[in-house]
């Protein structure tokens, strides 16, 4: 395709990228391998649309994090100027929430609806289970919430749920036959409370378009002439159906561009379906497909390893990723005896890499399959004084004091918000009894109204009535303030008048002081929101109301939070998607852990585990280290493990020999992994069958005895002091073979 004169940004693209950017008409699919410049293509495509005369407000760009949307708009602005800010760019949830703020009245919701988070939805489910006198162990609230979420993501309303005999039969088999009733009550409760959960932001958006084709659907079909979707492989069924609604009219040019990589589809547990990207070419006619196959991130060895691993998956869009960055470092695979030793070896290597390759902490990441694996790495990083950050820890907005103050704000904006009401009616304590509260909740339920609406109608003791009426006056006072004040003025007023600030000031403990600091940090953030003078797409005037602020906060994702500076990053592989580091450690590469034991009986799930491993190794730019342990404690027991099958799928020519290990594998004859064999040590650690292991009475253990330990193998008791602490020398342990063990808690079997 001829390059347009004057568009210098096109010179920064390779041939395939340029074609994907300048092919602006009709359906386009961009298959973007890891590190292939996906964000640049998406950004320049939008900039190019604006440059050829498309009004920016007619462009809808959907991402999976608000941070990605902000960065995209900043990059576009560097190319086309301030008009970039008028592009409708954001997450599915944030942009649809914005539309619903204008249109929700068409589907029976107030425009100032509350957005329920996970805790809110769980609380509603718990309350319904309690009201129905169901066993919460059978009707587990988390499980019920997850099933409701899944139903909504698949466009299954309560009516459709009841009509689906397969679903009803499944519920009967799982001993939860009342599931459909809970779902129905949950939906009605949310509607009465003027609240939407995160799934509703999608479901109600679909409902809005589907039920209002003339006055709403056509309006947005006319507005969004060009739709772009990032990370399309992560979309779920409902998100794809909404996109089709935008394009479902006879005169639609079907200008939709999707960007994604089927090999990085790893979120099926959230409802994402790989079928969307695999079926896209069948759903739209004359789709133009561009494959971005040049990797600008990683070295040849890492790219070749990724290609080798993913080739084992059956269902995929074929492509071959390549790079012209050779790189000198092959992939290291390290075996350790225990997970504790694994933690130590990784910490040792981090220090070595920092010294040898002049790496900063922030250039290093430790990736694991499950968050529970972080503990041993944390312990050893602490011992070595290596600063680190656990990615995905407790979010600032999930802390109790923050949620308490936000609940007051939510109730101010929407008095029908039952979850906010229940959270703050007795915080700070005002003496409103649990029995009175239960009666109030039940009355609201029986009359199908919100708790706040039921207060003037229910009879209660004069004391309870006085307390509750004073509370209503307090909220009414906050609402009056909200009518004239901006978000910061109202929030500061609520923080003081609610009594939260005084309560934390009077606490006096370090914890109380820390909570007060968090409240101040929240208020500072609200002040920053008020002082921000940038208009959002679709806004004609700056909206600095409390309602607008609460909407922004409700849509913040983990990926949007501020990060610490020079720290080693510890995170799950799922959380690492989209990131890159000079050096990456992928740890715990054992069968039943990575791949997960839950995937081994289902080929589709095993394929997703392999895609997850593919994502993990392609986060690395230069150094990639893969580790596994022969044994680790799981669920309180020592378990022995085989190395992950994924290690054998890496081409041998891309793998270095194992760097110093402790012993031969404990699972019998060593496997050949890549082009190396494990190095022999003094003795192999015995494979101890837990069922055959019978510990002796600690009182029978004496100096000089030969004993067997589940974790360390055979050892000799060299000393027992007066505190009954035994010193035992385990000659099969390479590092620190001498262990001090308290006999009272020891599990030792006498051999001789």
């Amino acid at each position: 395709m001829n390059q347009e004169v004057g568009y210098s940004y096109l010179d920064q693209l390779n041939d395939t990228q340029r074609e994907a950017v300048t092919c602006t008409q009709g359906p386009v699919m961009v298959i973007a391998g890891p590190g292939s410049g996906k964000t640049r293509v998406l950004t320049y495509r939008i900039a190019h649309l604006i440059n050829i005369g498309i009004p920016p407000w007619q462009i809808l760009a959907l991402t999976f994090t608000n941070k990605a949307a902000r960065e995209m708009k900043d990059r576009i602005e560097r190319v086309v100027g301030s008009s970039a800010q008028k592009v409708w760019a954001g997450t599915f949830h944030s942009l649809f929430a914005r539309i619903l703020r204008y249109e929700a009245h068409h589907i029976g919701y107030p425009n100032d609806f509350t957005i329920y988070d996970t805790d809110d939805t769980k609380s509603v489910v718990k309350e319904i289970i309690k009201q129905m006198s169901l066993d919460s162990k059978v009707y587990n609230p988390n499980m019920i919430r997850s099933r409701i979420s899944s139903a909504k993501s698949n466009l299954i309303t309560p009516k459709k749920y009841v009509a689906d005999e397969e679903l009803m039969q499944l519920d009967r088999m799982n001993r939860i036959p009342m599931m459909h009733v809970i779902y129905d009550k949950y939906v009605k409760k949310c509607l009465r409370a003027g609240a939407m959960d995160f799934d509703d932001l999608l479901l109600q958006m679909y409902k809005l378009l589907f039920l209002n084709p003339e006055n709403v659907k056509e309006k947005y079909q006319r507005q969004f002439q060009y739709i772009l979707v990032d990370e399309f492989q992560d979309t779920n069924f409902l998100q794809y159906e909404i996109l089709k609604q935008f394009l479902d009219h006879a005169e639609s040019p079907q200008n939709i561009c999707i960007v994604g990589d089927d090999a990085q589809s790893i979120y099926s547990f959230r409802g994402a379906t790989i079928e969307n990207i695999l079926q896209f070419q069948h759903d739209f006619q004359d789709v133009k497909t561009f494959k971005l196959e040049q990797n600008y991130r990683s070295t040849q060895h890492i790219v070749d390893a990724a290609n080798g691993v993913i080739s084992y998956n059956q269902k995929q869009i074929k492509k071959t990723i390549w790079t012209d960055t050779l790189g000198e470092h092959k992939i290291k695979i390290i075996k350790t005896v225990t997970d504790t030793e694994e933690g130590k070896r990784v910490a040792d290597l981090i220090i070595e890499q920092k010294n040898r390759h002049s790496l900063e902490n922030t250039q290093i990441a430790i990736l694991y399959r499950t968050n529970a694996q972080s503990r041993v790495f944390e312990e050893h990083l602490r011992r070595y004084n290596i600063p680190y950050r656990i990615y995905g820890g407790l979010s600032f907005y999930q802390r109790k004091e923050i949620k308490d103050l936000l609940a007051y704000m939510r109730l101010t904006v929407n008095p029908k918000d039952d979850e906010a009401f229940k959270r703050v009616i007795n915080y700070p304590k005002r003496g409103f009894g649990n029995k009175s509260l239960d009666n109030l909740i039940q009355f609201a339920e029986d009359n199908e109204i919100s708790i706040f609406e039921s207060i003037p109608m229910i009879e209660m003791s004069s004391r309870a009535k006085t307390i509750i009426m004073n509370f209503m006056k307090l909220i009414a006072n906050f609402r009056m303030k909200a009518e004239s004040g901006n978000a910061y003025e109202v929030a500061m007023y609520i923080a003081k008048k609610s009594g939260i600030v005084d309560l934390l000031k009077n606490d006096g403990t370090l914890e109380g002081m820390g909570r007060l600091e968090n409240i101040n940090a929240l208020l500072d953030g609200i002040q920053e929101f008020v002082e921000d003078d940038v208009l959002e797409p679709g806004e004609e005037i700056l909206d600095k109301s409390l309602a607008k602020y609460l909407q922004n906060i409700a849509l913040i994702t983990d990926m949007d939070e501020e990060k610490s500076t020079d720290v080693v990053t510890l995170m799950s592989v799922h959380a690492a998607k989209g990131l890159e580091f000079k050096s990456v450690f992928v740890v715990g590469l054992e069968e039943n852990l990575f791949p997960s034991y839950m995937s081994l009986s289902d080929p589709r799930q095993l394929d997703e585990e392999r895609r997850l491993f593919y994502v993990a190794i392609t986060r690395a730019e230069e150094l990639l280290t893969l580790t596994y342990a022969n044994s680790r404690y799981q669920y309180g027991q020592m378990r022995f493990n085989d190395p992950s099958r994924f290690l054998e799928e890496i081409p041998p020519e891309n793998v270095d020999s194992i760097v110093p290990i402790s012993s031969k594998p404990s699972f019998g004859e060593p496997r050949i992994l890549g082009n190396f064999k494990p190095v022999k040590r003094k003795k192999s650690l015995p494979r101890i069958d837990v069922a055959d292991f019978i510990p002796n009475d600690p009182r029978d253990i004496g100096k000089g005895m030969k004993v067997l330990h589940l974790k360390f193998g055979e050892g000799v008791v060299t000393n027992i002091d007066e505190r009954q602490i035994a010193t035992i020398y385990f000659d099969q342990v390479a590092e620190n073979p001498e262990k001090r063990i308290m006999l009272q808690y020891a599990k030792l079997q006498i051999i001789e």
Side-chain angles (χ1 to χ4, degrees):
M1 183 175 290
N2 293 329
Q3 179 178 316
E4 284 80 350
V5 178
Y7 298 150
S8 60
Y9 54 87
L10 295 177
D11 295 333
Q12 302 175 38
L13 304 171
N14 64 35
D15 291 345
T16 309
Q17 290 174 334
R18 190 180 304 113
E19 288 179 19
V21 165
T22 56
C23 179
T24 58
Q25 298 302 304
V28 171
M29 178 164 71
V30 180
I31 301 300
S36 63
K38 167 181 72 72
T39 304
R40 173 171 288 191
V41 167
L42 203 58
T43 300
Y44 284 6
R45 184 180 172 86
I46 296 171
H48 188 68
L49 287 170
I50 295 172
N51 267 345
I52 63 175
I54 306 303
W57 55 87
Q58 289 188 351
I59 301 170
L60 175 66
L62 294 158
T63 66
F64 275 81
T65 69
N66 293 311
K67 179 184 176 185
R70 285 196 300 270
E71 289 177 351
M72 183 191 301
K73 287 167 82 169
D74 289 342
R75 290 188 185 192
I76 299 167
E77 188 168 8
R78 288 197 285 270
V79 179
V80 300
S82 60
S83 61
Q85 296 302 324
K86 295 178 182 178
V87 173
W88 278 67
T91 65
F92 281 86
H93 292 90
S94 65
L95 292 184
F96 294 167
R98 189 174 303 158
I99 292 172
L100 287 166
R101 288 291 177 200
Y102 293 109
E103 314 288 358
H105 59 278
H106 290 291
I107 50 173
Y109 279 87
N111 287 355
D112 276 339
F113 58 86
T114 295
I115 299 175
Y116 275 177
D117 65 10
T118 302
D119 286 345
D120 295 323
T121 59
K122 186 177 175 182
S123 176
V124 175
V125 168
K126 274 184 174 179
E127 186 177 301
I128 293 169
I129 291 169
K130 180 181 177 183
Q131 289 170 346
M132 292 177 66
S133 302
L134 299 172
D135 186 347
S136 60
K137 291 179 181 177
V138 177
Y139 288 87
N140 180 280
N142 281 327
M143 178 266 292
I144 298 294
R145 183 180 59 80
S146 177
R147 288 178 74 86
I148 291 173
S149 174
S150 177
K152 288 182 177 181
S153 296
N154 286 284
L155 266 179
I156 301 172
T157 61
K159 281 186 179 179
K160 286 184 179 179
Y161 197 104
V162 175
D164 190 322
E165 185 50 40
E166 189 176 332
L167 277 175
M168 297 294 285
Q169 178 64 25
L170 187 63
D171 288 345
R172 288 191 287 269
M173 287 172 59
N174 289 324
R175 299 190 303 119
I176 51 170
M178 302 302 288
M179 172 65 215
H180 65 287
V181 180
I182 299 173
Y183 183 17
D184 186 54
K185 285 180 176 290
Y186 173 82
V187 169
K188 289 175 179 174
K189 257 185 171 301
C190 288
L191 184 59
R192 286 202 305 273
M196 295 187 195
D197 61 26
F198 261 50
D199 297 302
D200 277 324
L201 295 176
L202 302 181
L203 181 62
Q204 301 305 330
M205 183 68 203
Y206 177 85
K207 186 177 175 183
L208 176 71
L209 297 174
F210 187 76
L211 295 180
N212 299 275
E214 293 181 3
N215 57 347
V216 177
K217 185 175 177 178
E218 289 180 8
K219 169 184 172 182
Y220 290 101
Q221 285 176 336
R222 284 194 303 271
Q223 176 170 346
F224 300 132
Q225 293 293 304
Y226 291 83
I227 298 175
L228 300 93
V229 188
D230 192 13
E231 305 286 8
F232 190 73
Q233 76 281 346
D234 294 336
T235 55
N236 62 28
F237 174 77
L238 179 52
Q239 287 165 328
Y240 194 18
E241 289 302 308
I242 294 170
L243 293 174
K244 290 176 183 176
Q245 287 290 314
F246 282 125
L247 300 162
D248 179 28
H249 61 103
E251 298 177 7
S252 171
Q254 299 203 315
N255 294 328
I256 180 170
C257 172
I258 66 162
V259 182
D261 182 7
D262 58 296
Q264 297 185 66
S265 177
I266 59 173
Y267 293 119
S268 66
F269 66 95
R270 293 182 186 169
T273 172
I274 193 173
E275 299 302 325
N276 286 353
I277 195 167
L278 296 177
Q279 290 295 320
F280 185 79
Q281 288 175 299
H282 300 288
D283 293 336
F284 292 90
Q285 292 183 350
D286 303 321
V287 174
K288 297 179 182 66
T289 301
F290 302 93
K291 294 182 181 179
L292 307 183
E293 296 177 302
Q294 182 175 0
N295 182 296
Y296 294 94
R297 175 190 299 156
S298 307
T299 62
Q300 187 71 56
H301 289 300
I302 295 169
V303 168
D304 287 350
N307 282 333
V309 168
I310 204 63
S311 68
Y312 284 82
N313 271 14
Q314 298 299 313
K315 220 172 184 180
Q316 58 179 296
I317 298 171
K318 291 292 183 182
K319 60 184 176 299
T320 302
I321 307 302
W322 61 278
T323 181
D324 54 15
T325 306
L326 184 59
E328 56 181 301
H329 305 290
K330 289 189 176 184
I331 297 165
K332 303 285 188 187
I333 299 183
I334 299 177
K335 182 197 80 69
T336 60
V337 175
T338 66
D339 55 340
T340 302
E341 186 185 351
E342 183 185 32
K344 184 180 186 303
R345 291 305 314 285
V346 168
D348 287 337
L349 276 170
I350 286 174
I351 291 175
E352 181 184 324
Q353 288 183 359
K354 287 176 65 176
N355 293 332
R356 182 176 294 181
H357 305 295
S358 301
L359 295 184
E360 297 177 2
N361 291 319
T362 191
Q363 296 175 311
I364 302 169
I366 301 172
L367 308 183
Y368 32 73
R369 179 64 183 80
T370 65
N371 287 315
Q373 290 170 255
S374 71
R375 181 186 56 81
V376 291
F377 301 101
E378 286 189 76
E379 288 176 1
H380 287 93
L381 292 175
R382 279 193 189 125
R383 288 174 191 171
Y384 290 4
N385 291 318
I386 300 173
Y388 67 90
R389 178 181 184 268
I390 297 286
Y391 190 99
L394 186 64
S395 159
F396 176 82
Y397 295 99
Q398 293 300 314
R399 293 172 181 169
K400 180 186 181 300
E401 60 276 14
I402 300 302
K403 287 181 75 78
D404 289 336
L405 183 51
L406 288 175
Y408 269 107
M409 297 182 200
R410 282 167 45 180
L411 200 58
T412 299
V413 171
N414 175 17
K416 290 184 177 182
D417 187 339
D418 287 353
E419 294 311 302
F421 180 95
K422 288 185 288 185
R423 187 174 188 96
V424 299
I425 180 59
N426 255 332
Y427 184 80
K429 288 184 179 178
R430 51 178 53 87
F432 192 71
N434 289 336
K435 187 175 180 182
S436 296
L437 180 58
D438 288 343
N439 290 340
L440 199 54
I441 293 170
Q442 190 60 54
F443 183 88
E445 180 67 20
D446 293 342
N447 290 276
E448 298 188 347
I449 55 177
S450 70
I451 295 175
F452 216 85
E453 288 172 312
S454 70
I455 290 172
M457 302 164 61
I458 189 173
E459 291 186 7
M460 57 181 75
S461 69
S462 58
R463 181 177 177 275
K465 195 75 172 178
T466 300
I467 293 170
I468 201 74
M469 292 309 293
N470 286 338
F471 181 72
M472 285 188 75
K473 288 176 185 175
L474 183 68
I475 301 302
N477 193 11
F478 293 166
R479 285 178 64 77
M480 285 179 63
K481 184 73 175 176
E483 288 175 6
S484 57
N486 63 40
Y488 176 74
E489 292 166 347
V490 182
M492 180 64 80
Y493 186 79
I494 292 172
K496 291 178 177 178
K497 294 295 183 181
S498 66
I500 290 178
V501 169
D502 286 341
L503 183 70
L504 295 178
K505 276 183 179 177
N506 296 332
D507 186 310
T509 65
L510 286 174
E511 185 181 10
M513 289 171 62
R515 288 180 173 177
L516 188 57
E517 287 174 2
N518 290 336
I519 292 291
N520 287 327
L522 176 68
L523 293 170
D524 289 343
I526 300 174
Q527 175 77 315
E528 185 178 345
F529 162 79
V530 168
E531 292 176 356
D532 183 9
D533 59 359
V534 178
L535 278 169
E536 290 187 350
E539 281 189 340
E540 298 300 325
I541 58 171
L542 285 170
D543 182 0
K544 299 303 176 184
S545 67
L546 186 63
K548 180 67 175 178
Y549 171 77
L550 289 175
Q551 176 185 322
N552 288 4
I553 289 302
L555 296 166
I556 283 179
T557 66
D558 287 344
M559 295 288 286
D560 296 320
E561 292 185 28
E562 294 299 318
K563 308 298 182 288
S564 302
T565 50
D566 190 30
V567 292
V568 172
T569 300
L570 278 69
M571 65 194 336
S572 71
V573 182
H574 282 102
K577 188 165 169 295
L579 304 178
E580 55 190 50
F581 303 89
K582 281 278 178 64
S583 173
V584 169
F585 293 83
V586 186
V587 299
L589 281 162
E590 300 132 33
E591 288 291 292
N592 297 313
L593 183 55
F594 200 174
S596 163
Y597 71 93
M598 292 186 291
S599 69
L600 299 182
S601 60
D602 186 341
R604 291 173 302 176
Q605 289 188 26
L606 188 57
D607 274 4
E608 178 154 335
E609 288 288 302
R610 189 175 284 107
R611 293 195 295 269
L612 190 61
F613 182 55
Y614 177 86
V615 167
I617 60 182
T618 54
R619 299 310 94 199
E621 297 174 4
E622 297 176 11
L623 299 165
L624 176 61
T625 308
L626 312 175
T627 72
Y628 67 97
N630 290 155
S631 60
R632 70 176 62 243
Y633 274 100
Q634 288 179 293
Y635 308 109
Q637 292 186 329
M638 174 68 72
R639 297 177 185 267
F640 297 90
N641 315 299
D642 289 342
S644 169
R645 68 190 68 195
F646 299 152
L647 294 173
E648 293 180 319
E649 296 171 0
I650 298 174
E653 60 270 20
N654 303 120
V655 179
D656 227 346
S657 58
I658 283 189
V659 274
I661 59 170
S662 302
S663 65
K664 277 170 52 180
S666 65
F667 38 83
E669 290 302 312
R671 291 195 201 184
I672 306 295
L673 298 176
N675 63 347
F676 60 85
K677 291 184 180 180
V679 181
K680 290 186 178 181
R681 292 295 183 205
K682 302 176 190 175
K683 294 181 181 178
S684 63
L685 193 67
R687 178 81 179 248
I688 303 168
D689 192 329
V690 178
D692 295 338
F693 180 81
I694 304 173
N696 287 87
D697 189 320
R699 291 171 293 186
D700 295 336
I701 307 294
K703 184 178 178 181
M705 285 185 173
K706 204 169 189 178
V707 294
L708 185 65
H709 187 276
L710 268 176
K711 185 174 180 180
F712 304 120
E714 293 182 8
V716 176
V717 181
T718 59
N719 186 51
I720 299 177
D721 66 18
E722 66 278 2
R723 295 167 297 173
Q724 292 300 292
I725 295 176
T727 302
I728 306 173
Y729 186 87
F730 297 97
D731 65 353
Q732 293 152 329
V733 176
E735 295 185 42
N736 303 320
E738 196 168 79
K739 308 290 181 185
R740 297 175 74 246
I741 298 175
M742 186 171 285
L743 288 177
Q744 181 182 352
Y745 304 107
K747 289 185 178 180
L748 299 167
Q749 182 176 337
I750 299 171
I751 301 175
E752 57 182 67

